[in-house]
Amino acid sequence: MNVPEIFESMEYGPAPESSAEAMAWIDGHKGKFGQYINGQWTKPAKTFDSRNPATGDVLAKVSQANAKDVDAAVSAARKAQKKWASLPGHERAKVLYAIARLVQKQSRLFSVLESLDNGKPIRESRDIDVPLVVRHFYYHAGMAQLQDAELPDREALGVCGQIIPWNFPLLMLAWKVAPALAMGNTVVLKPAEYTSLTALLFADLAREAGVPPGVLNIVTGDGAMGEMLVTHSDIDKIAFTGSTAVGRRIRQATAGSGKALTLELGGKSPYIVFDDADIDSAIEGLVDAIWFNQGQVCCAGSRLLVQEGIAETFYARLRARMDKLRLGDPLDKCIDVGAVVDPVQLETITSLVNSSGGEVYHAATPLPEAGCYYPPTLITGLEPADRLMQEEIFGPVLVGTTFRTPEEAVQLANNTRYGLAATVWSENVNLALDIAPKLAAGVVWVNATNLFDAAAGFGGVRESGFGREGGWEGLLAYTRPKGGNAKPLKPITANPAPKEVATADLDRTAKLYVGGKQARPDGGYSQAIWSPKGKLLGHAGLANRKDVRNAVEAAAGAAKWSNTTGHLRAQILYYMGENLSARADEFAHRLKDMTGTTASKVEAEVSASIQRLFTYAAWADKFDGAAKSVPLRGIALAMNDPVGVIGAMAPDDAPLLGLVSLIGPAMALGNRLIVAASEPYPLSATDFYQVLDTSDVPAGVVNILTGNHAEIAKPLAGHLNVDAVWSFSSSDLSAMIEAESAGNLKRTWVNNGRARDWSSTQGEGRGFLSAATEVRTIWVPYGEG
């Protein structure tokens, strides 16, 4: 067919991209690749095939790393890290800038190699993946340039182990490598076994860009090799993108190791279409949401929720659009949907669809005879609890259901264990911006989908993981406060019972504080609290698993607190400071009796506690989000949302100040809290009940338990309705909390047995505010075409 005939028929003609340059690069390595360690290629050893999923042809042979290779890579990264981090930010910025320029210069080579190795259409790798890679390195070159001035109190973590998936091999590399190098870390990166080639090409480019030996190391292999990286004793941070199941295992494997951890995991993202939406635009957006990259996208809009009144029309138009999608050779620039990454993944998709109920519609589009292809598919008529409405398929399969009201749409959208992304389509901006903050998702797109940028944080909540990639918030994952908390924390034990008991005039038994009321401990047990001189100060209840459950239920029931204004929360925190001030002498006396410290020290602790409440009252309406500068006609709003329900182990060495230092930021930013009081000195916390009662704190917002920290922490960390756990106990509960948290992959903030000076800046500030918030990015494009 010639060009005039194509214009006459308006049929697509093939527009193949040459693979010659990519194959020449592979041939330049003789078709075999070793590991990239300390700026050099190792000799290829035991290898596995890297295949083109569109044809099944072997592209190259890639080496399987072993323990010796991993040790060598980590050792090289460790040796290079201090020198790399000590460079002025400008020097690192120059290297990242050089990487960005070289990727631009070799953009065609990268895009062709990515499509050959992964199976995605060349239009996507050329027009989306590679430009975003360039953008990330440019953006983070700027971050390196500004680090000394804008992040003077933070420093690099050290050696970062990074594990990336096969769906966006090069882009995920950029998301992780760029911020890590910008902040002075060194990297050992493991690409996916299926798709290692663009990472290996990047290694060649890194040498040209002047990345010093050891700063970037790339080791290839299967999951066993990834496990070696995760468990390596000389890694300071693990960054993982992949399945929720593997993320859960990584959380358990790193528990108690002190490694920083970020997880960007699976999703079952809702795509909500209201009856006032521009239907044709919503359908085009849906094509990008679910059939982009063959649906192999963690944030794919794989769960369609369409308002009942337009459902029949919407489905009809959608099926017609599906029939026009073109499948075929990923190097054909006219192809819409390429090949699934591997026969194993193709079999998984096929099996899931074949076992489904509902009405299955496959697009009436021809499939290539060879290769890993699956047709665009729509399944309707499923119940919300159906397996395919809940489980990630990770293929070109869309499941759909209907809703009647906005409230029902939110309920259906949030009826999942995931929380990565969501899309809202409506011409009513008031409705869209009302719905967006109600969705359990780290990213929400309004009248658009799959928008990404280096300036806008990306990441999930719930079982979609924790941590953010991109923006200023993404740098928190690759830095830590300077100096750290190097001093080991010694366990503090309660004062022992004396041989001769000096009793108080009137017996006093402090209860637990749950749901705004004092409650007897479920187990019926209490412990005696003695002064250092042997005086019986009273008894405190010993909370058990059921008390934890009751406290979590009370906190869940106080969800309206998260929707209150910062101004209201500030007023209540000010009241708490005022009421504590009125009883300052009483609290100082209690602290002196329990701890035996001097009058001046306990008075200073009470004074600091009052000031801390005022500090967080001040922050309650001032810890702002940001409008991100993204390169499109639109705005990306980074909103600081509350985490939700937080469980916390208060420090033992600052019974009042430590308690207030956890309650303050959690309350200020709209969270509800279950806090375990100082284990040896709990009576300051039980006295604090009255401050809460007289300060208009709503029932359930703050719940205080007393007793053994380990017995309280375990059910808190394992509870599926708790969103985060903090631990500053003098008993090192870090490993247990992190392991138990893997159930729903909640956030954790633990001390790893290290001390913190609660009376200094270590005891307050932005670190606490960040721990008390989730950053939600809401994208709102605008314009008339």
Side-chain angles (χ1 to χ4, degrees):
M1 184 179 291
N2 58 38
V3 173
E5 289 173 334
I6 292 173
F7 273 105
E8 183 67 29
S9 66
M10 293 306 290
E11 290 183 6
Y12 282 107
E17 178 75 46
S18 171
S19 63
E21 292 294 327
M23 297 309 298
W25 173 78
I26 292 172
D27 290 342
H29 283 265
K30 299 181 180 179
K32 291 185 178 181
F33 293 87
Q35 313 298 333
Y36 182 74
I37 297 173
N38 203 28
Q40 300 293 327
W41 291 102
T42 67
K43 185 178 180 181
K46 179 182 177 182
T47 62
F48 55 90
D49 293 339
S50 183
R51 294 179 178 272
N52 181 344
T55 63
D57 296 339
V58 175
L59 295 169
K61 292 187 177 296
V62 180
S63 292
Q64 168 66 45
N66 55 32
K68 185 178 178 181
D69 295 321
V70 174
D71 286 343
V74 174
S75 177
R78 178 61 64 193
K79 184 178 179 181
Q81 196 273 320
K82 285 188 178 180
K83 184 176 181 181
W84 177 247
S86 67
L87 290 175
H90 174 63
E91 295 302 315
R92 293 195 302 277
K94 288 195 296 184
V95 173
L96 268 70
Y97 172 78
I99 292 173
R101 293 290 291 127
L102 283 170
V103 174
Q104 279 184 313
K105 292 173 185 178
Q106 297 290 354
S107 61
R108 204 51 160 263
L109 176 58
F110 272 110
S111 59
V112 170
L113 188 61
E114 191 82 324
S115 290
L116 283 172
D117 203 22
N118 169 274
K120 66 176 62 186
I122 186 69
R123 289 190 302 112
E124 294 177 6
S125 56
R126 180 196 65 195
D127 299 341
I128 300 172
D129 293 32
V130 173
L132 275 173
V133 169
V134 174
R135 166 69 172 150
H136 271 267
F137 279 101
Y138 272 129
Y139 180 85
H140 285 97
M143 288 299 199
Q145 181 74 30
L146 298 175
Q147 181 183 6
D148 296 338
E150 297 300 318
L151 298 169
D153 298 326
R154 298 189 72 83
E155 64 183 5
L157 289 171
V159 177
C160 299
Q162 302 180 327
I163 302 172
I164 58 175
W166 45 258
N167 56 341
F168 291 93
L170 185 63
L171 182 56
M172 293 298 99
L173 177 151
W175 279 22
K176 288 178 167 51
V177 169
L181 298 193
M183 294 296 101
N185 302 278
T186 52
V187 166
V188 180
L189 179 125
K190 179 205 172 299
E193 184 180 7
Y194 292 152
T195 54
S196 302
L197 295 184
T198 47
L200 299 174
L201 172 58
F202 183 83
D204 269 351
L205 228 67
R207 290 204 292 184
E208 291 183 43
V211 177
V215 170
L216 173 69
N217 306 273
I218 296 177
V219 286
T220 55
D222 58 16
M225 186 247 123
E227 187 177 354
M228 295 176 201
L229 196 58
V230 167
T231 57
H232 200 287
S233 60
D234 205 22
I235 293 283
D236 299 299
K237 173 192 168 59
I238 293 293
F240 172 78
T241 296
S243 73
T244 295
V246 175
R248 185 174 286 111
R249 292 200 296 272
I250 291 174
R251 169 72 287 179
Q252 292 168 333
T254 58
S257 66
K259 290 183 176 73
L261 178 65
T262 49
L263 299 173
E264 196 263 280
L265 307 176
K268 192 69 178 177
S269 300
Y271 190 98
I272 306 170
V273 182
F274 286 96
D275 58 8
D276 65 343
D278 180 332
I279 292 180
D280 290 333
S281 295
I283 287 173
E284 286 305 308
L286 189 53
V287 168
D288 287 336
I290 183 58
W291 294 303
F292 169 58
N293 200 30
Q294 297 72 254
Q296 300 168 134
V297 183
C298 54
C299 56
S302 58
R303 199 159 44 105
L304 172 63
L305 309 178
V306 59
Q307 198 153 15
E308 197 171 88
I310 62 168
E312 185 175 342
T313 298
F314 191 91
Y315 287 148
R317 292 196 202 178
L318 177 59
R319 293 186 184 105
R321 181 68 179 92
M322 291 168 62
D323 291 345
K324 291 181 171 57
L325 294 172
R326 291 172 57 87
L327 277 73
D329 179 8
L331 291 187
D332 183 346
K333 292 184 282 290
C334 294
I335 289 302
D336 298 306
V337 182
V340 173
V341 73
D342 188 83
V344 172
Q345 183 65 14
L346 179 62
E347 173 57 32
T348 299
I349 297 166
T350 303
S351 176
L352 284 169
V353 174
N354 289 346
S355 66
S356 171
E359 181 182 340
V360 179
Y361 182 81
H362 296 300
T365 182
L367 291 180
E369 294 181 2
C372 299
Y373 291 94
Y374 195 87
T377 299
L378 170 66
I379 306 176
T380 55
L382 297 177
E383 296 295 326
D386 189 280
R387 181 186 180 191
L388 295 193
M389 290 290 287
Q390 294 292 326
E391 295 299 325
E392 190 174 32
I393 301 171
F394 223 64
V397 180
L398 175 67
V399 295
T401 191
T402 61
F403 66 89
R404 293 182 178 179
T405 65
E407 292 75 16
E408 185 183 5
V410 171
Q411 289 177 352
L412 288 170
N414 292 341
N415 181 26
T416 173
R417 59 195 177 97
Y418 297 109
L420 187 54
T423 301
V424 178
W425 282 85
S426 172
E427 290 297 288
N428 182 347
V429 69
N430 293 320
L431 175 62
L433 294 181
D434 178 56
I435 295 298
K438 296 176 181 178
L439 300 175
V443 179
V444 180
W445 295 293
V446 174
N447 292 337
T449 194
N450 281 340
L451 300 179
F452 308 100
D453 187 65
F458 180 87
V461 296
R462 296 180 172 178
E463 293 188 33
S464 290
F466 47 80
R468 294 293 180 265
E469 294 183 293
W472 289 100
E473 56 268 37
L475 298 183
L476 293 177
Y478 288 99
T479 58
R480 64 185 174 196
K482 283 186 176 177
N485 299 315
K487 184 179 178 181
L489 183 59
K490 296 180 180 178
I492 299 173
T493 57
N495 297 315
K499 293 181 180 179
E500 295 185 7
V501 176
T503 59
D505 294 334
L506 185 65
D507 176 71
R508 179 178 179 184
T509 299
K511 301 180 180 68
L512 312 179
Y513 189 73
V514 177
K517 299 177 182 178
Q518 295 191 43
R520 297 183 186 278
D522 173 74
Y525 290 99
S526 298
Q527 62 178 341
I529 307 300
W530 303 93
S531 76
K533 295 182 179 180
K535 179 182 178 182
L536 181 63
L537 302 177
H539 291 81
L542 291 172
N544 64 14
R545 177 179 293 271
K546 186 174 179 181
D547 296 311
V548 170
R549 184 197 70 186
N550 293 340
V552 174
E553 288 180 358
K560 289 183 179 179
W561 176 254
S562 296
N563 297 322
T564 56
T565 65
H567 172 67
L568 175 63
R569 297 194 297 269
Q571 282 186 303
I572 290 176
L573 284 160
Y574 280 129
Y575 294 158
M576 290 166 61
E578 177 186 336
N579 288 325
L580 179 58
S581 178
R583 300 175 61 184
D585 291 343
E586 176 188 337
F587 275 88
H589 182 73
R590 173 68 81 187
L591 285 169
K592 189 173 185 299
D593 277 351
M594 284 193 301
T595 64
T597 54
T598 63
S600 60
K601 286 185 178 180
V602 296
E603 288 168 3
E605 182 171 345
V606 174
S607 177
S609 300
I610 296 165
Q611 289 184 44
R612 196 140 294 170
L613 287 168
F614 269 59
T615 294
Y616 288 115
W619 272 117
D621 55 1
K622 300 177 184 68
F623 192 56
D624 299 327
K628 301 290 185 161
S629 179
V630 292
L632 55 77
R633 286 187 302 168
I635 191 167
L637 300 173
M639 311 294 290
N640 285 331
D641 291 338
V643 172
V645 176
I646 298 174
M649 306 297 114
D652 295 325
D653 53 337
L656 179 62
L657 180 58
L659 179 84
V660 166
S661 297
L662 304 187
I663 291 175
M667 284 186 64
L669 297 176
N671 298 281
R672 294 91 73 199
L673 190 71
I674 301 101
V675 60
S678 167
E679 187 173 335
Y681 311 128
L683 298 183
S684 289
T686 59
D687 291 344
F688 199 73
Y689 301 168
Q690 295 176 21
V691 172
L692 298 172
D693 286 338
T694 55
S695 302
D696 297 338
V697 177
V701 171
V702 178
N703 305 273
I704 299 177
L705 306 179
T706 55
N708 182 279
H709 278 185
E711 304 234 347
I712 296 171
K714 186 170 183 178
L716 259 182
H719 202 295
L720 297 182
N721 288 334
V722 174
D723 301 296
V725 176
W726 304 346
S727 180
F728 299 101
S729 174
S730 66
S731 302
D732 188 5
L733 308 173
S734 304
M736 180 266 286
I737 287 173
E738 289 180 335
E740 291 292 322
S741 74
N744 67 343
L745 290 164
K746 60 175 63 69
R747 289 170 54 175
T748 60
W749 187 21
V750 296
N751 60 8
N752 291 300
R754 300 288 171 173
R756 182 180 291 266
D757 182 359
W758 292 96
S759 62
S760 74
T761 54
Q762 288 186 351
E764 66 177 355
R766 286 185 175 270
F768 287 81
L769 296 167
S770 295
T773 53
E774 288 283 9
V775 177
R776 182 202 307 263
T777 304
I778 300 177
W779 291 76
V780 188
Y782 52 72
E784 288 291 332

